[in-house]
Amino acid sequence: MTTYTICIFTENTIGLLNRITIIFTRRRINIESLTVSETERKGISRFTIVIKHESREEVEKLVRQIRKIVEVLAVFGYLNDEIVYNEIALFKISTPLGGKSLDVETINKQYKAWVVYWGLDYVVIEKTGNDTEIFDFFAYLKQYEILEFVRSGRVAVGKTEKGLVEYLPEAEWAYYL
């Protein structure tokens, strides 16, 4: 199966997430990750959806179907080599008194992860990277007691010269300062 990242620019409208996800449900396509945030233009949201599918044609049909939604301004589909992407993961690791001490130097230098909270009985470590890097770090941390693990959805930008928002229809957009 091939991994596709679909970037959707929309007006910020109530109920739009439901209408978009119904298209995936009807086509029986599982969403691997979903991230939604406002763009640098006020009132414009960006959905970054990761799916795995065998057929490029089916993914292209899906993209065309999403484009038909009135509030959708632009939709782009990408393969992994056409984008720069990252995820963030947080690990809560037990650090009981007298337990195995955490090798912070290895965590920082080898895995490029950081302790972001140090409590009495646990630490929280942040790791950014692609899913392979995050799960390699997860495998390393198995030597400790992992109390919690949470991973964000993918955030991505295209490897094009222009920013994707430059493809949006012309209008009077408000920008953040």
Side-chain angles (χ1 to χ4, degrees), residues 52-67:
K52 292 184 180 176
H53 206 280
E54 297 166 354
S55 168
R56 183 179 179 100
E57 293 78 30
E58 286 297 314
V59 174
E60 288 172 356
K61 283 181 190 176
L62 174 79
V63 167
R64 286 194 298 273
Q65 189 72 37
I66 293 169
R67 282 188 181 131

Side-chain angles (χ1 to χ4, degrees), residues 3-152:
T3 301
Y4 296 92
T5 301
I6 299 170
C7 296
I8 307 167
F9 290 91
T10 69
E11 296 172 9
N12 197 353
T13 309
I14 295 171
L16 187 57
L17 174 60
N18 185 46
R19 287 190 284 154
I20 290 172
T21 56
I22 284 173
I23 294 171
F24 289 85
T25 304
R26 285 184 186 148
R27 295 182 178 276
R28 302 187 56 77
I29 297 174
N30 186 47
I31 295 174
E32 300 289 326
S33 85
L34 168 66
T35 305
V36 183
S37 65
E38 201 164 39
T39 66
E40 63 271 21
R41 293 184 181 175
K42 284 187 180 180
I44 303 299
S45 293
R46 177 187 183 128
F47 291 69
T48 305
I49 301 173
V50 178
I51 62 171
K52 292 184 180 176
H53 206 280
E54 297 166 354
S55 168
R56 183 179 179 100
E57 293 78 30
E58 286 297 314
V59 174
E60 288 172 356
K61 283 181 190 176
L62 174 79
V63 167
R64 286 194 298 273
Q65 189 72 37
I66 293 169
R67 282 188 181 131
K68 292 179 182 178
I69 298 173
V70 173
E71 294 88 352
V72 170
L73 303 171
V75 182
F76 303 94
Y78 297 99
L79 296 170
N80 283 347
D81 62 344
E82 298 171 330
I83 56 174
V84 177
Y85 62 94
N86 252 341
E87 297 178 4
I88 185 171
L90 295 175
F91 300 84
K92 186 188 285 185
I93 308 298
S94 177
T95 56
L97 219 53
K100 185 174 183 175
S101 62
L102 213 55
D103 185 358
V104 177
E105 188 173 338
T106 299
I107 289 170
N108 290 158
K109 291 184 179 177
Q110 185 175 339
Y111 291 99
K112 295 180 178 39
W114 317 106
V115 174
V116 293
Y117 178 81
W118 204 291
L120 292 175
D121 297 330
Y122 66 92
V123 297
V124 177
I125 301 171
E126 175 185 301
K127 169 72 177 138
T128 58
N130 62 41
D131 53 350
T132 304
E133 294 167 341
I134 288 171
F135 283 110
D136 285 348
F137 185 57
F138 185 92
Y140 167 76
L141 288 179
K142 281 186 178 178
Q143 63 184 303
Y144 305 101
E145 182 184 358
I146 300 173
L147 301 173
E148 284 186 64
F149 165 68
V150 63
R151 192 171 124 226
S152 73

